[in-house]
Amino acid sequence: MQLARIDDSTDYLIAPDPGAARLTRAVTGTDQNGEEISANVVEERPLTIFLNAQEIVTAMTIGDYPDYLALGFLRNQGMLSDADEITGVEYDEELETVIVRTARKTDYEEKMRKKTRTSGCAVGTVFGDMMEGLEGVALPQTPVRTSWLYALSARINRTPSLYLEAGAIHGTVLCQQDRPLVYMEDVGRHNAVDKIAGWMLSEAVAADDKILYTTGRLTSEMVIKTAMMGIPVLASRSGFTAWGVEIARETGLTLIGRMKGSRFVCLSGEARLERDADPGAVPQEPRRSGRKGAA
C-alpha cells in the first residue's frame, strides 16, 4: 500500500501525495498558440474487488489505498457490517485485484442482480436495496459550529493535492471539529468516500463526531453513503441534487453546499448548526488559491 506524505503543517493523518509517480503521467501537447507543452494528467487503473470467492465490481481508480477502497465499497454497499470479522485483505498489484476475506460465508448473487448505475462518475454504482438499509439509520445530534466549517473550507482548499497538480479528480476529507484528518482523492467522488469508509472500518474510528467534506456534487449516492457510515454532517463547495436533499432530510443528515469564502447553503439538518462565527469577519478566498467546486 502506498503511504501518503504527511505534511506537519497541515497535521493530517493521511494527506494527498501529488508528487507520487504512479498517480500522474506527464504527456505532451500543444497550447492555444500551437506551442508544445507538457502537462501532468491523472492515471486511471481498473481494480477488481472480490468478497471471499465472489467477484463484486471492477472500478476505475487512481490506484492508491486499494485495501481501503475495497473495504469501504463493501461496507457502503451493505456487504460488510461492523460485526463482520475480516480475516484478511489481499492486494495483487499485477492482477489489479483486492480480495477481502471474512469469517462469515457470503453470497450476494441476488444483491448483484439489483445493481443500478447512479449519477456518480467513473463507474458509480449503488444497489437497489440500499434505501432499505437507511430505514434503521439514526444519526447523532452532534452540533457543528459554523467556525469549524469556515476553518475546514479554508484549510482543505489550500492543501497540496492531485487536484491542484493535475485536475480531473475529486477529493473527500474526514474531519473532526475544525481539523481535517484523512484526505482521499480519486477519479470518482464515490471512490474517495469509500476509501474514507475503509480507513474508518480498518481503524475502528467512530463516526458520530465527524464531518465529511467533498469537492463534488451532493448527490443521492453521496448522501446515502455518508448516512450509512453514520456521519451526521456532509459539506461541499459544490451544489445539490433534489434527491440528495430529500434523502438527507429523511435521514436527518445536515447537508451544506456552495461553501465558498463566508457563504454556504444548508438545505437539511439546520438544527445542528451553531452559528458562532460572523460571516462578515470571514476572509474572502484569494482568487488564485481557492479551488472550484468539482462536478
Side-chain angles (χ1 to χ4, degrees):
M1 182 180 71
Q2 174 191 345
L3 295 177
R5 182 181 62 218
I6 298 178
D7 186 341
D8 291 336
S9 66
T10 56
D11 198 30
Y12 287 88
L13 299 178
I14 298 178
D17 186 1
R22 291 186 73 252
L23 303 186
T24 62
R25 182 195 312 172
V27 298
T28 58
T30 57
D31 65 11
Q32 66 278 0
N33 298 316
E35 297 181 2
E36 185 173 302
I37 60 168
S38 177
N40 284 336
V41 296
V42 173
E43 290 277 13
E44 285 186 274
R45 293 181 172 84
L47 180 70
T48 301
I49 299 172
F50 284 79
L51 179 56
N52 295 313
Q54 184 177 7
E55 180 178 336
I56 302 298
V57 71
T58 297
M60 297 306 296
T61 174
I62 60 175
D64 66 344
Y65 304 106
D67 48 352
Y68 290 154
L69 176 56
L71 286 171
F73 178 85
L74 295 172
R75 173 67 176 85
N76 283 337
Q77 301 299 334
M79 296 181 178
L80 286 179
S81 71
D82 294 335
D84 273 318
E85 179 186 349
I86 298 170
T87 58
V89 181
E90 303 165 13
Y91 172 54
D92 189 312
E93 183 175 357
E94 184 176 346
L95 296 178
E96 298 177 316
T97 60
V98 177
I99 303 175
V100 177
R101 301 191 187 278
T102 62
R104 172 176 63 95
K105 184 178 179 180
T106 56
D107 182 2
Y108 288 105
E109 295 254 342
E110 179 62 25
K111 191 180 185 81
M112 294 297 295
R113 282 195 288 270
K114 297 167 72 174
K115 183 172 63 175
T116 58
R117 184 174 297 274
T118 72
S119 58
C121 59
V123 203
T125 56
V126 68
F127 292 91
D129 59 354
M130 279 191 72
M131 288 297 293
E132 297 174 10
L134 290 177
E135 293 177 357
V137 170
L139 297 176
Q141 292 302 313
T142 308
V144 56
R145 298 179 182 177
T146 55
S147 61
W148 299 344
L149 297 175
Y150 292 136
L152 289 170
S153 179
R155 196 170 187 182
I156 291 168
N157 291 298
R158 289 161 177 78
T159 297
S161 63
L162 276 173
Y163 174 85
L164 296 177
E165 174 74 17
I169 202 161
H170 292 277
T172 300
V173 189
L174 182 70
C175 311
Q176 186 175 35
Q177 297 185 0
D178 61 351
R179 181 192 174 195
L181 302 175
V182 174
Y183 188 153
M184 296 291 191
E185 293 184 288
D186 215 302
V187 288
R189 69 184 69 86
H190 52 89
N191 283 352
V193 74
D194 283 344
K195 289 176 185 176
I196 296 285
W199 179 82
M200 293 177 70
L201 180 62
S202 178
E203 302 298 319
V205 173
D208 58 348
D209 61 345
K210 301 300 188 295
I211 298 168
L212 197 64
Y213 182 98
T214 177
T215 61
R217 298 187 305 271
L218 297 170
T219 63
S220 58
E221 183 180 21
M222 289 298 294
V223 170
I224 290 171
K225 290 193 174 191
T226 304
M228 292 287 285
M229 292 162 66
I231 297 175
V233 181
L234 175 61
S236 174
R237 287 179 65 84
S238 194
F240 312 82
T241 66
W243 196 21
V245 173
E246 181 180 336
I247 296 171
R249 290 177 174 178
E250 290 177 0
T251 58
L253 178 79
T254 295
L255 193 64
I256 298 166
R258 301 173 188 167
M259 285 184 57
K260 298 178 183 178
S262 62
R263 297 177 290 119
F264 68 79
V265 176
C266 180
L267 294 185
S268 175
E270 162 77 23
R272 282 194 188 86
L273 288 184
E274 294 184 354
R275 299 180 183 274
D276 66 330
D278 177 6
V282 176
Q284 295 301 308
E285 292 183 356
R287 179 168 296 185
R288 296 185 64 184
S289 63
R291 65 182 286 167
K292 297 179 181 179

